[in-house]
Amino acid sequence: MSGKVTELESLLVPIVEALGYRCWGIEFLSQGRHSLLRVYIDHPDGVSVEACATVSRQASAVLDVEDPISGDYTLEVSSPGMDRPLFTLEQFAAYVGEQAKIRLRVPYEGRRNFQGVIRGVEGDEVVLQVEDHEYLLPIDSIDKSHIIPRF
């Protein structure tokens, strides 16, 4: 996890939690002069558009004061949705048995993209079964991951 994401989490997680939601995860995509800050919030009863707007207003106020992002950026607040991204070992553990897509920061055995069934967590690694092979992927090497919804 980048230092910038850690810094943003320290500012934003307390705000999200104070409003009665869980901060599912934060993505920060630096795109030259314009960046994107995406905050995923979750709640057992679901997340409404109004909830996203409330969190967005509160987060914007704190970000304006603290000013952790240089240059222009867009703030997006949303629910994780059915194809929810996975950020932590605890989240992977909660979705054992589900299909997931994982992209690594650097190739492992010649590939960066994996799709398979989450089998569990061992230490700081995610166990992913791809066809008849199990991969142990260190959480620190995962760039992006998300659940593949079943319909």
Side-chain angles (χ1 to χ4, degrees):
M1 187 178 321
S2 78
K4 180 57 76 180
V5 170
T6 304
E7 178 187 0
L8 291 166
E9 280 181 345
S10 69
L11 288 172
L12 298 173
V13 170
I15 294 163
V16 172
E17 290 176 351
L19 292 168
Y21 300 96
R22 185 169 73 163
C23 186
W24 184 259
I26 292 175
E27 290 176 342
F28 179 69
L29 308 166
S30 183
Q31 300 160 328
R33 290 187 9 236
H34 196 87
S35 301
L36 173 64
L37 172 58
R38 192 174 288 133
V39 180
Y40 294 100
I41 62 173
D42 205 9
H43 192 275
D45 299 331
V47 175
S48 66
V49 173
E50 293 80 18
C52 292
T54 300
V55 171
S56 181
R57 278 192 299 276
Q58 294 288 329
S60 289
V62 168
L63 291 168
D64 288 347
V65 171
E66 298 292 332
D67 200 24
I69 301 170
S70 58
D72 295 333
Y73 68 94
T74 301
L75 170 64
E76 285 182 10
V77 177
S78 71
S79 83
M82 290 180 64
D83 60 342
R84 60 184 48 221
L86 301 173
F87 296 95
T88 66
L89 289 167
E90 294 77 20
Q91 291 172 348
F92 279 100
Y95 285 89
V96 166
E98 296 290 332
Q99 286 272 335
K101 216 177 230 184
I102 296 177
R103 185 176 78 214
L104 302 179
R105 286 187 178 86
V106 294
Y108 175 74
E109 291 186 8
R111 62 194 278 197
R112 287 182 60 193
N113 296 302
F114 295 82
Q115 182 173 327
V117 177
I118 300 168
R119 286 291 170 223
V121 170
E122 290 182 16
D124 63 351
E125 297 178 315
V126 174
V127 182
L128 189 74
Q129 184 167 348
V130 180
E131 293 158 5
D132 59 354
H133 189 83
E134 274 193 357
Y135 292 93
L136 276 79
L137 306 172
I139 190 78
D140 292 341
S141 68
I142 295 174
D143 183 37
K144 277 185 112 106
S145 57
H146 68 88
I147 294 294
I148 300 169
R150 289 189 234 184
F151 296 102

